Amino acid sequence: MDAVVAISLIRMAAADLAMEPWQRPSDAYLVQLGLDALMADIEAPSLPLLAGLARGEYPQARELFDLVLEELGLLPLVSEDLAKARWSAAQWWAGQIVACQLDPVHGAKLIYEEAAAELDYPDALQPIVDLARALDLPNDQPPDQQHIRDRVTSAARDFLATEAHQNHSL
Protein backbone atom coordinates (compact mmCIF):
# COMPACT_ATOMS: atom_id res chain seq x y z
CA MET A 1 0.00 0.00 0.00
CA ASP A 2 1.35 3.41 -0.86
CA ALA A 3 0.98 6.62 1.13
CA VAL A 4 -1.83 8.01 -1.06
CA VAL A 5 -3.98 4.92 -0.47
CA ALA A 6 -3.17 4.86 3.24
CA ILE A 7 -4.17 8.53 3.60
CA SER A 8 -7.31 7.85 1.56
CA LEU A 9 -8.36 5.02 3.86
CA ILE A 10 -7.63 7.18 6.90
CA ARG A 11 -9.81 9.99 5.48
CA MET A 12 -12.62 7.53 4.79
CA ALA A 13 -12.42 6.11 8.32
CA ALA A 14 -12.45 9.65 9.75
CA ALA A 15 -15.65 10.41 7.83
CA ASP A 16 -17.18 7.14 8.99
CA LEU A 17 -16.54 8.03 12.64
CA ALA A 18 -19.38 10.56 12.33
CA MET A 19 -21.85 7.81 11.42
CA GLU A 20 -24.15 5.89 13.73
CA PRO A 21 -22.27 3.81 16.31
CA TRP A 22 -22.96 0.50 14.56
CA GLN A 23 -21.61 1.89 11.27
CA ARG A 24 -18.36 3.31 12.64
CA PRO A 25 -15.03 1.59 12.01
CA SER A 26 -13.98 -0.75 14.79
CA ASP A 27 -11.09 0.00 17.12
CA ALA A 28 -9.24 -2.96 15.58
CA TYR A 29 -9.68 -1.42 12.11
CA LEU A 30 -8.25 1.91 13.31
CA VAL A 31 -5.21 0.11 14.73
CA GLN A 32 -4.78 -1.73 11.40
CA LEU A 33 -4.97 1.61 9.56
CA GLY A 34 -2.19 2.83 11.83
CA LEU A 35 -0.06 -0.20 10.92
CA ASP A 36 -0.79 0.26 7.21
CA ALA A 37 0.13 3.95 7.41
CA LEU A 38 3.43 3.16 9.13
CA MET A 39 4.21 0.57 6.45
CA ALA A 40 3.51 3.26 3.83
CA ASP A 41 6.12 5.51 5.49
CA ILE A 42 3.61 8.05 6.78
CA GLU A 43 4.97 9.98 9.73
CA ALA A 44 2.98 11.40 12.61
CA PRO A 45 4.03 11.40 16.28
CA SER A 46 0.95 9.47 17.46
CA LEU A 47 0.95 6.96 14.60
CA PRO A 48 3.35 4.44 16.24
CA LEU A 49 1.26 4.65 19.41
CA LEU A 50 -1.92 3.84 17.48
CA ALA A 51 -0.28 1.07 15.47
CA GLY A 52 1.29 -0.45 18.58
CA LEU A 53 -1.86 -0.83 20.65
CA ALA A 54 -2.34 -4.29 22.10
CA ARG A 55 -5.81 -5.82 21.91
CA GLY A 56 -6.54 -4.84 25.53
CA GLU A 57 -5.65 -1.23 24.70
CA TYR A 58 -7.99 -0.91 21.70
CA PRO A 59 -10.39 1.42 23.57
CA GLN A 60 -7.65 4.09 23.22
CA ALA A 61 -7.68 3.75 19.41
CA ARG A 62 -10.28 6.44 18.68
CA GLU A 63 -8.50 9.07 20.75
CA LEU A 64 -5.13 8.25 19.13
CA PHE A 65 -6.74 8.16 15.68
CA ASP A 66 -8.09 11.68 16.27
CA LEU A 67 -4.56 12.81 17.20
CA VAL A 68 -3.17 11.23 14.04
CA LEU A 69 -5.78 13.06 11.94
CA GLU A 70 -4.77 16.33 13.58
CA GLU A 71 -1.03 15.67 13.18
CA LEU A 72 -1.43 14.80 9.50
CA GLY A 73 -3.47 17.94 8.87
CA LEU A 74 -6.47 15.94 7.68
CA LEU A 75 -8.96 17.95 9.70
CA PRO A 76 -11.35 19.40 8.87
CA LEU A 77 -12.57 16.82 6.39
CA VAL A 78 -13.32 18.45 3.05
CA SER A 79 -15.85 16.73 0.78
CA GLU A 80 -13.60 17.06 -2.30
CA ASP A 81 -10.72 15.37 -0.46
CA LEU A 82 -13.05 12.64 0.74
CA ALA A 83 -14.32 12.03 -2.81
CA LYS A 84 -10.73 11.76 -4.07
CA ALA A 85 -9.98 9.38 -1.21
CA ARG A 86 -12.89 7.14 -2.19
CA TRP A 87 -11.72 7.08 -5.83
CA SER A 88 -8.18 6.23 -4.73
CA ALA A 89 -9.46 3.44 -2.50
CA ALA A 90 -11.66 2.04 -5.29
CA GLN A 91 -8.68 2.01 -7.66
CA TRP A 92 -6.49 0.33 -5.06
CA TRP A 93 -9.11 -2.33 -4.25
CA ALA A 94 -9.60 -2.98 -7.97
CA GLY A 95 -5.84 -3.36 -8.36
CA GLN A 96 -5.74 -5.78 -5.43
CA ILE A 97 -8.54 -7.83 -7.04
CA VAL A 98 -6.72 -8.00 -10.38
CA ALA A 99 -3.44 -8.91 -8.63
CA CYS A 100 -5.24 -11.75 -6.76
CA GLN A 101 -4.41 -10.07 -3.43
CA LEU A 102 -8.07 -9.46 -2.50
CA ASP A 103 -10.97 -11.85 -2.87
CA PRO A 104 -13.08 -10.47 -5.76
CA VAL A 105 -16.36 -10.91 -3.87
CA HIS A 106 -15.04 -9.05 -0.82
CA GLY A 107 -13.40 -6.42 -3.04
CA ALA A 108 -16.61 -5.83 -4.99
CA LYS A 109 -18.48 -5.29 -1.74
CA LEU A 110 -15.82 -2.85 -0.49
CA ILE A 111 -15.95 -0.88 -3.74
CA TYR A 112 -19.75 -0.90 -3.65
CA GLU A 113 -20.22 0.04 0.01
CA GLU A 114 -17.19 2.22 0.73
CA ALA A 115 -16.66 4.01 -2.57
CA ALA A 116 -19.51 3.80 -5.08
CA ALA A 117 -22.36 4.30 -2.62
CA GLU A 118 -20.67 7.36 -1.15
CA LEU A 119 -19.86 8.75 -4.63
CA ASP A 120 -23.50 8.42 -5.76
CA TYR A 121 -22.84 5.36 -7.95
CA PRO A 122 -20.63 6.75 -10.74
CA ASP A 123 -20.85 5.05 -14.13
CA ALA A 124 -17.21 3.92 -13.97
CA LEU A 125 -17.96 1.73 -10.92
CA GLN A 126 -21.41 0.54 -12.02
CA PRO A 127 -20.32 -2.88 -13.41
CA ILE A 128 -18.68 -3.75 -10.09
CA VAL A 129 -21.66 -2.37 -8.15
CA ASP A 130 -24.06 -4.50 -10.22
CA LEU A 131 -22.04 -7.62 -9.46
CA ALA A 132 -21.88 -6.82 -5.75
CA ARG A 133 -25.63 -6.28 -5.69
CA ALA A 134 -26.20 -9.57 -7.50
CA LEU A 135 -24.40 -11.33 -4.66
CA ASP A 136 -26.89 -9.92 -2.15
CA LEU A 137 -30.06 -10.73 -4.09
CA PRO A 138 -32.18 -13.44 -2.52
CA ASN A 139 -32.82 -16.16 -5.04
CA ASP A 140 -33.60 -19.84 -5.08
CA GLN A 141 -30.20 -20.79 -6.43
CA PRO A 142 -27.01 -19.35 -4.99
CA PRO A 143 -24.88 -17.56 -7.56
CA ASP A 144 -21.95 -19.43 -9.08
CA GLN A 145 -19.19 -17.94 -6.92
CA GLN A 146 -16.35 -18.67 -9.33
CA HIS A 147 -18.27 -17.14 -12.23
CA ILE A 148 -18.96 -14.02 -10.14
CA ARG A 149 -15.29 -13.84 -9.06
CA ASP A 150 -14.20 -13.99 -12.70
CA ARG A 151 -16.68 -11.30 -13.70
CA VAL A 152 -15.62 -9.02 -10.82
CA THR A 153 -11.96 -9.47 -11.76
CA SER A 154 -12.78 -8.62 -15.36
CA ALA A 155 -14.82 -5.57 -14.33
CA ALA A 156 -11.99 -4.42 -12.03
CA ARG A 157 -9.48 -4.81 -14.87
CA ASP A 158 -11.76 -2.78 -17.19
CA PHE A 159 -12.19 -0.08 -14.53
CA LEU A 160 -8.42 0.22 -14.06
CA ALA A 161 -7.84 0.38 -17.81
CA THR A 162 -10.46 3.12 -18.17
CA GLU A 163 -9.03 5.09 -15.25
CA ALA A 164 -5.47 4.77 -16.63
CA HIS A 165 -6.66 5.94 -20.05
CA GLN A 166 -8.52 8.93 -18.56
CA ASN A 167 -5.55 9.92 -16.39
CA HIS A 168 -3.17 9.83 -19.37
CA SER A 169 -5.60 11.73 -21.59
CA LEU A 170 -5.73 14.77 -19.33
Side-chain angles (χ1 to χ4, degrees), residues 89-156:
Q91 290 170 336
W92 186 71
W93 286 321
Q96 293 293 296
I97 292 169
V98 171
C100 301
Q101 299 296 313
L102 177 63
D103 174 67
V105 170
H106 181 65
K109 288 181 179 184
L110 283 170
I111 291 170
Y112 170 38
E113 295 167 0
E114 301 294 333
E118 299 297 329
L119 293 167
D120 201 24
Y121 304 103
D123 291 342
L125 295 175
Q126 202 58 50
I128 297 171
V129 167
D130 291 342
L131 291 164
R133 285 180 175 158
L135 292 164
D136 291 335
L137 290 177
N139 52 37
D140 296 333
Q141 301 210 350
D144 175 2
Q145 290 288 318
Q146 188 55 49
H147 179 69
I148 294 284
R149 280 182 169 80
D150 293 344
R151 289 182 60 200
V152 169
T153 301
S154 178

Side-chain angles (χ1 to χ4, degrees), residues 33-113:
L33 281 176
L35 287 167
D36 292 342
L38 279 179
M39 297 296 291
D41 293 327
I42 295 172
E43 294 182 16
S46 300
L47 196 53
L49 299 173
L50 174 63
L53 289 177
R55 193 173 312 274
E57 299 171 318
Y58 280 9
Q60 299 171 35
R62 292 189 195 284
E63 182 179 332
L64 286 170
F65 186 75
D66 288 343
L67 285 173
V68 168
L69 290 173
E70 226 173 275
E71 292 164 0
L72 293 174
L74 298 178
L75 294 176
L77 292 173
V78 179
S79 61
E80 295 84 27
D81 291 340
L82 190 53
K84 286 178 192 174
R86 293 193 188 283
W87 277 108
S88 293
Q91 290 170 336
W92 186 71
W93 286 321
Q96 293 293 296
I97 292 169
V98 171
C100 301
Q101 299 296 313
L102 177 63
D103 174 67
V105 170
H106 181 65
K109 288 181 179 184
L110 283 170
I111 291 170
Y112 170 38
E113 295 167 0

